[in-house]
Amino acid sequence: MAPSKLQEWFPWTKAPVIINGPMIGVACPKLAAEVSKAGGIGFISCVVNVEQGSPEVTRAHDDLAAVRQHLGQNAATDDDDNGVVRAGMGCITGHASVGQFAETVVVPVMAAQRPAALWLFAPDGAVRPHARIIAAVRAHFEGSGSSGGYRPRVFVQVGNVAAAREAVRDGADVVVCQGVDAGGHQFRRGAGVISLVPEVRRMLTDEFADRDVALVAAGGIVNGKGVAAALALGADGVVMGTRFTVADESTYPDFRKAQVLQTTDGGSSTFKSPFNDQINNSTLWGPLYDGRAIVSEIHDKFMAGATLEECQAALKQVSPPEEAVKLINTWAGTGVGLVKTGGPAGQIVEDVRRETRETIESLIGLI
């Protein structure tokens, strides 16, 4: 496989480049480190609240330090990496505190820990903070003589071509083209990777030929066959979420891991809807976004015609209360039916990479 921009920017990676999504409640320092050790790009969990004094900001700093420790990197003496930790951090940018991002994250966290990448997703439709965030990152590090050549690459997660175009105009280095088969949160109105990835690739070629922008595919990709398909569509690498939820290092609760491993027929056993947030009264995700989760009897009740209020009342009646928790918020994509084993995150990366190569080699005989 020809080297991609990702391999140039992240020199420890191997083709095809496999990335774990920065999933809240799943990604952690150990998982990110093991993905990067195996030649992928590991991400710690996203930060949401970035206001002054937020414990999430402190956690991001500490998590990056923990990744460095797991990888055996030393910020002061690791000349090969220029002090850069071989992993990334993320931020959900729809929270009201996002205006403080430069002061609370760029300077104290990114400058101290030097993550290789920053992932941005889910801005509020009216605020649109990504251009300011990316400009702040570039101004601080590219304009600083003390940065020593450090330049974090910025990933922006999108769900349609218009959002991809906006992300590149904002200054993104990598557009994460997330198809609607994805688990967890995503654009309400989007497309599957089979049409989204090639159309965004064409847009990048036609409109941004003078820019070095990488494209990675996400959504429904859980094995080497999916990776091979994404590469054929024009992706430089892939993001997997559901596949890593069941990794040994994942912090997904055991009962959720069991649900992922036991679920089949992902198209009918998962449900993409604002209902998955409304049932919890979550206000984080704005009107542009919804989420896909594994179906339970509460979802069946809603799809049969019950109101949201009736479903919330039914959930409150579940006893004991810990059983109610098991009925909602097990985020998974439509590829969940293909996820049948867990194992170490690094082994998952290596297995998927091997299967990708085998799949591509087997296809040669068909042409």
Side-chain angles (χ1 to χ4, degrees):
M1 297 178 185
S4 71
K5 276 292 172 188
L6 296 175
Q7 289 181 272
E8 176 185 331
W9 295 337
F10 308 99
W12 70 85
T13 57
K14 301 175 184 178
V17 178
I18 296 169
I19 305 160
N20 74 274
M23 300 167 283
I24 297 172
V26 174
C28 64
K30 183 64 172 174
L31 188 148
E34 293 304 312
V35 169
S36 290
K37 276 184 185 178
I41 304 175
F43 276 86
I44 61 171
S45 175
C46 274
V47 175
V48 177
N49 184 346
V50 297
E51 66 188 7
Q52 291 285 351
S54 168
E56 292 187 53
V57 175
T58 301
R59 175 183 54 78
H61 178 282
D62 294 346
D63 281 357
L64 288 169
V67 173
R68 189 184 297 281
Q69 184 176 24
H70 286 307
L71 291 171
Q73 293 184 280
N74 186 301
T77 62
D78 197 336
D79 294 332
D80 289 342
D81 289 291
N82 192 30
V84 177
V85 63
R86 296 192 296 271
M89 64 175 294
C91 182
I92 303 301
T93 55
H95 192 269
S97 64
V98 72
Q100 301 179 47
F101 189 89
E103 293 76 20
T104 62
V105 177
V106 174
V107 177
V109 177
M110 297 185 71
Q113 294 299 333
R114 294 190 166 211
L118 171 67
W119 181 306
L120 305 175
F121 177 52
D124 180 272
V127 176
R128 308 177 99 80
H130 289 176
R132 295 194 303 277
I133 290 174
I134 296 171
V137 170
R138 298 276 156 74
H140 184 77
F141 296 112
E142 294 181 10
S144 170
S146 62
S147 66
Y150 167 57
R151 181 190 172 187
R153 297 291 172 173
V154 180
F155 289 57
V156 176
Q157 181 178 329
V158 302
N160 55 50
V161 179
R165 179 181 293 110
E166 180 177 342
V168 179
R169 287 174 176 166
D170 287 344
D173 296 296
V174 182
V175 287
V176 181
C177 292
Q178 183 194 41
V180 293
D181 284 331
H185 290 90
Q186 57 191 272
F187 278 55
R188 288 194 193 184
R189 297 180 62 189
V193 291
I194 200 166
S195 57
L196 178 61
V197 169
E199 189 172 359
V200 172
R201 173 58 71 192
R202 185 176 64 183
M203 182 272 293
L204 294 175
T205 300
D206 291 347
E207 300 178 28
F208 299 97
D210 60 335
R211 288 273 306 278
D212 286 332
V213 181
L215 185 163
V216 298
I221 302 170
V222 298
N223 58 22
K225 290 180 173 61
V227 175
L231 297 177
L233 293 168
D236 295 296
V238 302
V239 177
M240 296 196 305
T242 303
R243 186 71 183 85
F244 284 115
T245 63
V246 295
D248 291 350
E249 300 83 357
S250 161
T251 56
Y252 228 22
D254 287 343
F255 75 85
R256 297 201 193 278
K257 289 184 178 183
Q259 288 174 338
V260 169
L261 291 171
Q262 293 163 8
T263 297
T264 59
D265 192 3
S268 62
S269 59
T270 64
F271 183 44
K272 170 179 159 65
S273 171
F275 173 80
N276 290 307
D277 291 307
Q278 293 165 346
I279 190 71
N280 315 302
N281 293 314
S282 172
T283 59
L284 174 61
W285 304 94
L288 298 178
Y289 312 102
D290 63 9
R292 184 183 293 278
I294 292 176
V295 169
S296 71
E297 52 261 43
I298 292 296
H299 297 84
D300 288 334
K301 185 178 183 69
F302 179 73
M303 289 186 281
T307 66
L308 171 64
E309 292 73 19
E310 289 170 339
C311 292
Q312 289 173 327
L315 193 63
K316 290 179 181 178
Q317 293 171 8
V318 174
S319 181
E322 52 266 27
E323 290 301 309
V325 174
K326 298 179 181 180
L327 301 180
I328 57 174
N329 295 347
T330 301
W331 309 102
T334 60
V336 64
L338 295 169
V339 178
K340 294 303 174 189
T341 59
Q347 191 63 54
I348 290 172
V349 172
E350 292 173 0
D351 288 348
V352 170
R353 184 181 294 123
R354 172 184 47 77
E355 186 181 3
T356 302
R357 292 181 180 277
E358 291 173 352
T359 300
I360 293 172
E361 289 168 358
S362 70
L363 291 173
I364 294 174
L366 298 178
I367 57 174

